[in-house]
């Protein structure tokens, strides 16, 4: 899983039926200091994350889709699965 | 999932039987401003996307193939699953 | 999926039993103009592709292995699933 | 699988239900000499690894989630599956 | 799948139970001329490959784990599945 910041969302009326009713969020991967790492991508929201939240994103199809939609095998390859409170660096 | 622009398609008469009847589209990943990001690749069309459309592409085999063909386990690792109307950046 | 050119094959007498009887081909990813993109890798042949063919390669384990061997769960992560006739760029 | 050093952990009270009760560790991929390789990421702890441990991390959703939670299909794409004693370079 | 050279192995007494009894090998990806390509990583040994062998490595969790342990869903994302005799470049 990776750390990412929620930066927006995507509106799509024409979509695969497994995605109907799901929120597609734009997320920007970030490092431990909040710095950007690589390109933004799209993730379904398994919680109720908002823009600006620091989140944990899982990037694996089967598990991500099950988590985000409660239905197996949906056409998803990334999902927001946690909102981060704090990072402990020992 | 990632944002991509549909730029063409591939014609192949000799193909694995699970792909017969499916459209193989050429897609170019793009950023939030529409700029190219990385190399183009191939994705099956789960909707009826056309050349020039901005789309959401899922890159995961099992889910992508189920979405695009309605049959589990097809030999596919990417599918177009949504046509983007707008992107909201908050 | 990606476009690739078949450039050779690998001979291995000692191999996992799920691969016995399968052809392991060397493929070089290529761009739309046929130019090389990244490093060559190995893909099973689900069709009867020959050296020099422009092919579609799927890079996903479960689907690729099912396509190439007709048996689920074989130890494969890439397969040739189509031989390209033409590419349409609109 | 890759070698990584455990460098911290993430606290998240709001998370997908499949992750409740699991420890999300921060891991930094390292080379054979212990040098950093690429960016840190998050992995669930399938053992009881501590900060500073050199560990083996598996990066595959289905297997990683099963290993770390003993439940299939959890929303996980990386897990710590071994603590390294020694590396033999012949 | 990719070509790699076996360069060592990892000793870990504390590991996820699915890995007990399996050999974790260090492999270095190589090109067609034997030149190094990218970083070394860890792969389970599904055969009985030795240090110095040129091997075929599959990088996909489900299939790799089944091949290397004969048990489905083990926490593995790479396995050695063939020892290369020769490479034919036509």
């Amino acid at each position: 899983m990776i750390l990412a910041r929620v930066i927006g969302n995507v509106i799509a009326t024409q979509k695969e039926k497994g995605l109907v009713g799901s929120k597609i969020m734009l997320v920007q991967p970030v490092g431990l200091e909040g710095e950007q790492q690589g390109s933004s991508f799209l993730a379904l929201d398994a919680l109720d994350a908002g823009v600006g939240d620091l989140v944990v994103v899982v990037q694996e199809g089967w598990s991500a889709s099950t988590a985000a939609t409660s239905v197996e095998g949906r056409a998803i390859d990334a999902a927001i699965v946690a909102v981060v409170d704090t990072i402990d660096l020992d």
Side-chain angles (χ1 to χ4, degrees), chain A:
Chain A
M1 291 78 71
I2 62 167
L3 292 171
R5 186 78 61 184
V6 181
I7 59 171
N9 66 293
V10 162
I11 311 294
T13 47
Q14 184 186 354
K15 53 186 167 183
E16 200 268 327
K17 64 181 185 300
L19 298 183
V20 174
S22 300
K23 273 197 304 181
I24 304 178
M25 311 301 283
L26 259 164
V27 297
Q28 170 63 54
V30 295
L32 297 179
E33 310 299 327
E35 72 278 17
Q36 294 192 9
Q37 287 186 332
S39 302
S40 60
F41 61 90
L42 307 174
L44 253 79
D45 190 3
L47 305 169
D48 192 34
V51 169
D53 281 348
L54 182 65
V55 294
V56 176
V57 177
V58 61
Q59 296 174 288
E60 200 267 336
W62 184 271
S63 302
S65 65
T66 305
T69 66
S70 300
V71 183
E72 289 194 337
R74 285 300 181 236
I76 298 166
D77 59 14
I80 297 170
V81 293
V83 178
V84 176
D85 300 325
T86 55
I87 301 175
D88 281 353
L89 285 177
D90 303 273

